[in-house]
Structure formats: structure tokens, C-alpha cells
Amino acid sequence: MIMLKSADLSRRRFANIVVPVCEKSSVTSEAKLSSLVDDALSLPEFEGARGDLLVRYATGGIKAERLLFIGLGRVKQVEEEDLRQMAAKGVRRAIELGQSKVAIIMPDKGALKLPRSRQVAAIIEGALMANHLFQNYRGKEARKVKPLTEIEVLIARNEVNRLRSVAEKAAIVVAGTLLARDFVSTPPADKVPATFATMVEKKLSEVAISVEIKDDEDLAQMGFGAMLGVAMGSDSPARLVVADYNPAGATKTVVLVGKGVTYDSGGLNLKPAEGLKDMKSDMAGAAAVAGVLYNVGVLRPDVRVVGIMPLVENMPSGRALRVGDVLTSHSGTTIEVGNTDAEGRLILADALSWGAETYAPDLMLDMATLTGACVVALGQDIAGIFTPDEKLARAIKNSSERVFERCWPLPMPEDGKAYLKSDIADIANVASHRWGGASTAALFLSEFVGKSRWAHIDIAGPAFTRKNGSYTRPGGTGFGVRLLCDLLFDEESTLKF
Ligand code: BES
Ligand code: ZN
Ligand code: ZN
């Protein structure tokens, strides 16, 4: 579908060519193309500024029906994200124009400061993410808008072989992202825990990852009292999905835990209308973990990676969890429920303590749409990083910048645990006041991770969107998949373990 290729621009015919252009400068030296770039730059409506777009038809010299010139901004300031957005813009416009094919020109070697491999990866990521539409629930008419069937990235002949594996890897990482997007965008009635669990199992079996699905009887035996408490109000029973990639000879183990609340009504602490609207996305952490495991199945790294996805639906009913109930978690710690809408931390408490005990991981990460407070603190586009391990926080932040899934570290003040005291149980699931809610949630989780090296990433803001982004559309964003793949499997990751 996407190919890294070389092509003779003066000979071949093209439907659409996407040409990146910098302010006042061409980044391609191909003679015919660069004179067309000069023409484009001489027009008042196109300056090559970041995001500029100019479409020209059947232009002399090159046999292309359309040329899409897209601005990258100042040549010295071009970053990976500009390339992602450039490729995405070209693909989006081609889709809007009813096209099925585009060729994207790679900037010349040496034209930009970025390493070649990062440039190729960025262009492929942007193009593939922009080419994804979630159409499972559209009628016939709307399905006439179709993703492109062929995307070529054109590069000099002598570079093709060296960069092919980079291109392939970028495409793999995007596949997991798109999988996570689709899971999140799926309506909640169609992904109740048992259904979602089999969806994940089916996808992971495609890439030879073994999955175990624990039902509520198993969970009772395992002592998952906190998670089962959340599930009580729903007619759809809980499931725990455990995906274990354990290659021969692996010496390190990473455990990934993802919050999988397939619908968060709040429970008896029912959310108001506005709050209910996006709550099908409350399983985005689990979706991201499934996406990472999917990529792991293809990338086959030499570390053991275990994905743990606790799945529940949080509903009010005559059988629902009450405010005031006390639950006994897997670790044995008893939890007084102060608010049934703080359900994410309850299911994570069991999953984290079971993950730490069962696998004794070298690293444990959890991703969760955990708190509205994190969105208040950092906005809709940035996730919160919580960990007592500063080096780990820095490595996550680093990867987040590289893939442009933005994260920012937030504090976990030790003395804040005092606010989680319960009069009758070991701990309460909400603090006695509402301030700094993202941090209190993280402090609560920290009680259940044992001695593991651990970080929690609160993705409540960026996991889901209602507007079009450069390469996201309304719905799930797949946030976290590229981040974790970079952190765990990229040679340039600064994570050491
Ligand atoms: N799933 C929500 C958090 C959330 C809010 C995700 C907005 C995405 C967008 C979570 O379960 C929740 O309801 N948290 C409460 C906690 C409170 C009761 C302590 C919140 O943030 O209000
Ligand atoms: Zn909630
Ligand atoms: Zn929730």
C-alpha cells in the first residue's frame, strides 16, 4: 500500500504528486520539479509557509494530473512533525479530490537537518495516519469517500535499499495506532467487555500473540475484588485480557496495563449529559496496549512484553457498587468507595498488583483515561506522566517529543497520600478534596505497584477528539501506541533497562 520507490519524473505518468516546499527555497533539485517550485513560490497565494497548499493541474514538463505543493516553513526549522503534517495534508487533499493514488516527493538528501531515517519514518507515518477513515458505521453513500489505495514515497535510487526497513517499521507502528483508533471509535454497545476481549484476541492472533481471557469466575478466584466491584452494576460481565509475548531467550520483561472501561457512565455517581458524551473512549488505555502488542507481534523484539487489559462497564443499577462500599483488592488492601466514578483506579489497582506479582517486571507502564483533572491541567492534547523515577519520566518525555504524542510530567507528592485516608478501610478511592485530582489518582495507583519500576500515563485528554487534526479525525486518536513503541523498541530511545 505504501512504498518507498525511485522514479524518473520526466518519464512516468502520475495522478498526483505531493511536493514539499520550504519558504523561499526548493528542497528538491530535480530540474523540472524545482522550476515548477519556483513558479509556485512566485505566486502571491503560496509562500511555502508551514501548512500552505497549492494545487496545480497538468503542469508542463512533468506528466502529472495534479501537483500538490505543500509548505514546510523555514528550511532551517523543519522538524519531523512538519514532515508528518505535510504528508498528511497531501493525502487528505487527495482523498477530498476523490483520488486513489499519490506520490510524495522526499526532500533531497542534505536539504534538511534531520536524519534521513527520521524523515522517511515521519512522512510514512503522516501519510498512513491521514489515510485512515473509520467507516464501519456509515451508510453506502458516505462510504464513497475512500482512503487512497496507493501511496508512494519517491526517493533517489541509491537510498531506497538502505531506508526500506525504516519505511516498513514506520508502517507497522502506524498499524497498531489505527487498530487502537478503531477500537476507541466503536460504539460502546458493540464493545462490551466480552466482545472487546474477543476483538483483541482475534487481532493479536493474526500476529501470533497468545491471549488469555479471564472471566468473572476466574477474576473472583484471582482476588480481583476492586475490579469486580466496578463491574457489579452492568449486565455485561468483566473480562481480563492478558496478552503475553515471551520470545525464547528474553532476559527482560515489560508489563503494560491499560484501563479498559468500555463505557463510563459514572455508576451511581452518574455523570451529567456533557460528561457522558465521550465515555465510550474510556477504554483507550486498553486499546493502546492492544495496539502496542499488535506491533510487538510484527516487530518481534527480544524482550518479553505482557499486555494486561482489565475490561469493565461502569453502570448504575440495583446491583451497582455503592458509595460507602468497601472492596478488597488483589493486593489485600481494602478500598472504601467514595465515588463510583473514580472506577479506573479501582480496576487498575487489581491489574497493577497482579501484574507486578505475577511477572516481576523490569518495567511496568500503565495508560489510562484516568482523570478530568489531567485535562484541566494540561489541556486536551497533552498526556500527564506520573512516576517516582525521574530518568523514566525523562525517557518518556523524550519519546513523546520524537513521535509528537505530547506528554508532560506532573508531581506525585508523597504527603498527598494523607488525603486518601479512609475512616474504615485501608485507603479511599477519592481524596477528601478535589484539588490536584490527577496527582491523587496517581498516588492511589502507586499503592498497588509493589516494588516495580513504574510509570502511569494519564491520556484522558489526547485519547479522543471531536475535531479534525493534521492526521487525526473525530474519534479515537490511537494516542500512546507510537509513544510506547518508540520508548520500548526504538534504538534511539533513552530508556535503559
Ligand atoms: N473516565 C473518567 C475520566 C475522564 C474524564 C476521561 C474526561 C476522559 C475525559 C474517570 O473515570 C472519572 O470519571 N474520573 C473522575 C474522578 C473523580 C470522581 C475523582 C473525574 O475526573 O472527575
Ligand atoms: Zn469515571
Ligand atoms: Zn473512567
Side-chain angles (χ1 to χ4, degrees):
M1 216 286 283
I2 195 152
M3 287 177 288
L4 198 60
K5 266 187 132 175
S6 69
D8 186 344
L9 287 182
S10 57
R11 291 235 189 111
R12 232 188 87 184
R13 285 187 179 282
F14 292 91
N16 306 283
I17 303 184
V18 175
V19 187
V21 181
C22 284
E23 276 176 44
K24 299 194 189 77
S25 65
S26 175
V27 282
T28 168
S29 58
E30 204 282 333
K32 290 212 173 93
L33 210 49
S34 106
S35 82
L36 288 166
V37 167
D38 291 342
D39 290 351
L41 282 170
S42 71
L43 297 169
E45 67 265 43
F46 185 80
E47 291 177 339
R50 198 179 275 150
D52 272 6
L53 170 71
L54 175 76
V55 183
R56 298 197 67 189
Y57 292 86
T59 322
I62 284 182
K63 300 187 191 77
E65 282 166 33
R66 280 172 214 79
L67 288 171
L68 288 78
F69 298 93
I70 301 180
L72 282 175
R74 298 249 201 88
V75 71
K76 286 201 178 121
Q77 289 171 3
V78 174
E79 297 191 9
E80 278 169 59
E81 180 60 9
D82 299 313
L83 293 174
R84 254 177 233 119
Q85 295 192 9
M86 176 276 294
K89 199 163 195 126
V91 166
R92 251 177 200 280
R93 180 52 64 91
I95 293 173
E96 283 161 16
L97 292 167
Q99 297 300 298
S100 60
K101 295 177 182 181
V102 295
I104 305 172
I105 305 281
M106 265 290 284
D108 283 350
K109 196 173 181 183
L112 305 173
K113 276 197 304 199
L114 301 163
R116 236 15 207 164
S117 57
R118 305 297 301 175
Q119 294 184 31
V120 169
I123 287 177
I124 287 183
E125 285 168 19
L128 285 179
M129 287 192 287
N131 197 36
H132 178 255
L133 305 170
F134 181 69
Q135 289 181 314
N136 302 3
Y137 292 84
R138 294 259 196 235
K140 248 196 185 145
E141 205 42 43
R143 282 194 200 209
K144 286 187 180 152
V145 181
K146 288 201 169 74
L148 307 179
T149 52
E150 188 184 294
I151 302 172
E152 293 174 313
V153 178
L154 301 184
I155 194 163
R157 190 176 305 276
N158 59 8
E159 287 192 286
V160 174
N161 282 338
R162 195 168 57 81
L163 292 168
R164 186 169 290 128
S165 66
V166 173
E168 280 163 4
K169 185 167 174 209
I172 291 166
V173 173
V174 171
T177 300
L178 302 183
L179 180 66
R181 284 185 184 182
D182 285 358
F183 284 154
V184 173
S185 297
T186 297
D190 291 347
K191 60 177 177 194
V192 295
T195 314
F196 184 30
T198 47
M199 283 158 71
V200 171
E201 182 183 38
K202 191 157 163 269
K203 270 290 164 190
L204 293 186
S205 75
E206 279 175 22
V207 293
I209 296 238
S210 61
V211 167
E212 230 188 290
I213 301 176
K214 315 253 189 217
D215 65 17
D216 40 1
E217 282 175 25
D218 301 325
L219 290 168
Q221 263 180 9
M222 291 158 73
F224 274 46
M227 178 172 167
L228 288 171
V230 177
M232 280 192 323
S234 172
D235 287 341
S236 304
R239 293 287 185 271
L240 183 77
V241 177
V242 185
D244 190 355
Y245 166 77
N246 190 8
T251 54
K252 302 283 179 187
T253 301
V254 180
V255 164
L256 306 176
V257 180
K259 172 177 173 182
V261 178
T262 61
Y263 189 68
D264 183 11
S265 72
L268 288 180
N269 288 105
L270 192 63
K271 286 180 183 293
E274 205 40 43
L276 285 171
K277 255 180 30 195
D278 298 341
M279 281 305 124
K280 70 171 182 184
S281 68
D282 213 20
M283 35 57 78
V289 168
V292 173
L293 264 293
Y294 185 80
N295 292 347
V296 163
V298 185
L299 294 170
R300 303 256 145 204
D302 59 7
V303 287
R304 182 177 191 187
V305 185
V306 182
I308 303 178
M309 292 152 266
L311 311 180
V312 294
E313 188 180 47
N314 188 22
M315 293 296 241
S317 80
R319 283 175 288 110
L321 182 65
R322 305 160 191 83
V323 174
D325 277 344
V326 173
L327 304 169
T328 303
S329 70
H330 169 269
S331 70
T333 300
T334 58
I335 307 168
E336 184 181 6
V337 177
N339 190 315
T340 62
D341 198 10
E343 82 299 336
R345 62 196 80 180
L346 293 173
I347 71 170
L348 291 175
D350 283 342
L352 287 167
S353 91
W354 182 77
E357 182 187 283
T358 310
Y359 300 98
D362 300 280
L363 176 66
M364 184 157 72
L365 301 172
D366 78 75
M367 275 197 294
T369 47
L370 203 63
T371 65
C374 194
V375 193
V376 173
L378 299 175
Q380 287 179 304
D381 300 319
I382 304 178
I385 307 170
F386 301 84
T387 174
D389 183 328
E390 273 185 38
K391 279 196 184 139
L392 179 55
R394 226 171 296 136
I396 296 171
K397 177 84 172 28
N398 242 312
S399 288
S400 100
E401 281 165 16
R402 284 152 48 85
V403 303
F404 205 71
E405 289 187 337
R406 286 168 291 174
C407 296
W408 203 263
L410 289 173
M412 284 181 41
E414 195 56 30
D415 56 356
K417 284 183 185 166
Y419 302 118
L420 286 167
K421 286 222 164 85
S422 155
D423 291 338
I424 60 167
D426 299 336
I427 193 170
N429 79 329
V430 284
S432 48
H433 62 76
R434 66 192 195 85
W435 312 112
S439 291
T440 19
L443 284 170
F444 178 90
L445 297 182
S446 73
E447 291 291 305
F448 298 91
V449 301
K451 289 196 170 28
S452 304
R453 187 184 188 201
W454 159 78
H456 154 61
I457 306 176
D458 192 333
I459 59 171
F464 185 80
T465 178
R466 292 218 158 255
K467 52 185 201 308
N468 276 305
S470 314
Y471 40 76
T472 56
R473 295 172 199 272
T477 61
F479 187 100
V481 177
R482 289 188 302 121
L483 173 69
L484 291 200
C485 287
D486 188 274
L487 179 74
L488 299 172
F489 313 122
D490 197 282
E491 291 129 36
E492 287 168 55
S493 163
T494 52
L495 175 71
K496 299 275 172 291
F497 71 101

